[in-house]
Amino acid sequence: MSKLFSPLRLRALELPNRIQVSPMCQYSAIDGSMGDWHLMHYGSLALSGAGLLVMEATHVSPEGRITHGCSGLYDEANAAALARVLAFCRAHSNIAIGLQVGHAGRKASSERPWQGRGTLQPGADPWPIVGASPVPFADGWPAPTALDHDSLRAVRAAFVRATERAAMLGIDLIELHSAHGYLLSTFLSPLSNRRTDEYGGSRENRMRFPLALFAAMREAWPAERPMGVRIHGSDWVDGGWGVEDAIAYTAALKALGCDYVTVSSGGVSPDQRIATGPGYQVGLAETVRRETGIVTCAVGMITGAAQAESILAQGQADQVALARALLFNPHWPWAAAAALGAKVAPPPQYERAAASTWAGMIPTGSP
Ligand SMILES: Cc1cc2nc3c(=O)[nH]c(=O)nc-3n(C[C@H](O)[C@H](O)[C@H](O)COP(=O)(O)O)c2cc1C
């Protein structure tokens, strides 16, 4: 019996297997609204056979977007565009669909990755950025304006509004983005948070804003639907945020009704030293899971069926999220199921390619 292909229940949501399509920005929205690219991208991933598809970081305000192409859920046009993509996917697939919501903080107003990833230069329509403290991300990046109490309230209200919109649209699961050097992780990390008010200093103070935000969103999100957080497992910098902090943060989130965490890391400081390699963040997930008992999703260079199966079988995580492996092969779960003796249901149009009916089976290069 494959663990990877066993069901996972989060509140009223029953996922048929433990493969998550990891959220992936597409940088292809216009004024925050998803378009035809998203129909193709999410339409294809809706047929992947994964148990859960989490849509890209979707921003709660225009200034909270990473790039001009990032998706948002801050106005009715954004909501209508997302509704169109959802209806398209739902017409052809019953995959559970989640949405990640976020705010880029001091990494907002950046170039799309294929245009360089740097901060937007004059002439490229940059916008003023906000953050926990007026500390730039890196040399050559602008210093954000520190959010005062009124602005913090406004940011929290924007997250709640996006949550309400996502609930109205019928999104199955919502995920708060609290990693990768975006707004919430810069509150958490002592490297980026230099505040002297109740939101800075001790770890308890640095967690205060993200936790209050989570609590407000949880209240606005239907009780039967799950809500999770992509957490920041480590800065990978001496003196920065580390796994002990991630454990404390997760325990506090769990007490507020968080159903799962996905453990990622990095992105707060350009001085980070990450030893990347297969499953490089799984150890962080394992520690957080062991110490908090929360449903935990591991992510980061998980590319093989046997690798994914072993992470779950050894109790290092409860779910795995895959990003690049699913862009490379959007039917990765079909091949993984065949390799592990399990089944995913292909759409009827593709039934002749099901492993059980096709003598050729599992093409070269499958997981
Ligand atoms: C194109 C692309 C876009 C991404 N966008 C997001 C995002 O919107 N939110 C997020 O939390 N992570 C994002 N990530 C990170 C992935 O979700 C994942 O954590 C990372 O790529 C490591 O997993 P992998 O080795 O399976 O690719 C993105 C990654 C890629 C490749």
Side-chain angles (χ1 to χ4, degrees):
M1 228 338 238
S2 159
K3 186 84 182 152
L4 187 61
F5 287 92
S6 65
L8 175 66
R9 194 180 177 86
L10 297 167
R11 300 203 183 210
L13 185 66
E14 174 100 3
L15 304 173
N17 64 54
R18 289 153 185 264
I19 304 168
Q20 179 195 125
V21 179
S22 206
M24 282 180 274
C25 289
Q26 294 301 294
Y27 313 103
S28 301
I30 294 171
D31 293 330
S33 293
M34 293 184 184
D36 287 357
W37 171 262
H38 300 87
L39 293 181
M40 183 170 71
H41 171 68
Y42 290 119
S44 145
L45 289 169
L47 302 182
S48 64
L52 173 66
L53 163 59
V54 181
M55 287 179 164
E56 66 199 89
T58 292
H59 300 93
V60 300
S61 59
E63 65 280 4
R65 291 172 301 160
I66 310 166
T67 72
H68 280 296
C70 283
S71 70
L73 194 45
Y74 47 78
D75 64 23
E76 290 309 310
N78 298 162
L82 178 54
R84 175 174 173 251
V85 177
L86 278 172
F88 183 80
C89 294
R90 301 258 197 240
H92 303 290
S93 161
N94 59 6
I95 192 168
I97 300 181
L99 183 76
Q100 187 186 61
V101 290
H103 186 300
R106 66 180 182 171
K107 285 166 104 175
S109 188
S110 297
E111 292 163 317
R112 294 174 177 88
W114 56 84
Q115 290 167 338
R117 279 186 186 276
T119 186
L120 286 177
Q121 298 300 315
D125 205 8
W127 63 88
I129 58 172
V130 295
S133 301
V135 182
F137 167 61
D139 289 346
W141 285 60
T145 302
L147 289 161
D148 62 18
H149 284 197
D150 284 346
S151 321
L152 285 175
R153 262 192 297 278
V155 168
R156 198 165 72 188
F159 271 91
V160 169
R161 191 73 197 100
T163 304
E164 290 166 350
R165 285 196 164 106
M168 292 213 351
L169 292 173
I171 293 279
D172 296 308
L173 164 154
I174 199 159
E175 177 174 294
L176 176 61
H177 198 345
S178 181
H180 302 170
Y182 300 123
L183 185 65
L184 298 187
S185 51
T186 58
F187 269 86
L188 297 174
S189 173
L191 304 177
S192 45
N193 183 337
R194 306 278 168 76
R195 298 177 75 102
T196 52
D197 61 4
E198 69 270 38
Y199 299 110
S202 66
R203 178 171 72 201
E204 192 187 347
N205 280 358
R206 283 180 275 119
M207 296 194 316
R208 193 180 305 280
F209 179 65
L211 290 175
L213 185 55
F214 177 90
M217 281 175 67
R218 184 65 264 188
E219 221 177 283
W221 187 241
E224 71 284 2
R225 291 191 225 171
M227 176 168 168
V229 180
R230 177 165 282 224
I231 64 157
H232 181 44
S234 176
D235 280 335
W236 303 112
V237 177
D238 287 343
W241 178 266
V243 72
E244 290 302 319
D245 302 308
I247 291 167
Y249 185 46
T250 302
L253 287 167
K254 191 179 172 196
L256 293 172
C258 180
D259 299 300
Y260 75 92
V261 293
T262 300
V263 187
S264 194
S265 67
V268 166
S269 165
D271 300 329
Q272 65 188 21
R273 294 277 170 273
I274 308 186
T276 52
Y280 69 101
Q281 294 173 143
V282 174
L284 295 172
E286 181 179 13
T287 308
V288 167
R289 181 178 188 267
R290 187 182 60 235
E291 298 302 322
T292 65
I294 201 165
V295 172
T296 304
C297 178
V299 68
M301 293 183 79
I302 300 169
T303 56
Q307 178 197 15
E309 180 68 23
S310 131
I311 290 167
L312 300 179
Q314 290 180 44
Q316 294 177 292
D318 303 282
Q319 189 186 40
V320 289
L322 277 65
R324 289 165 291 183
L326 274 161
L327 292 186
F328 188 78
N329 174 7
H331 291 157
W332 187 97
W334 297 21
L340 296 170
K343 277 201 180 122
V344 288
Q349 295 90 334
Y350 287 0
E351 247 165 24
R352 289 182 61 192
S356 56
T357 62
W358 179 36
M361 282 259 300
I362 327 252
T364 316
S366 293

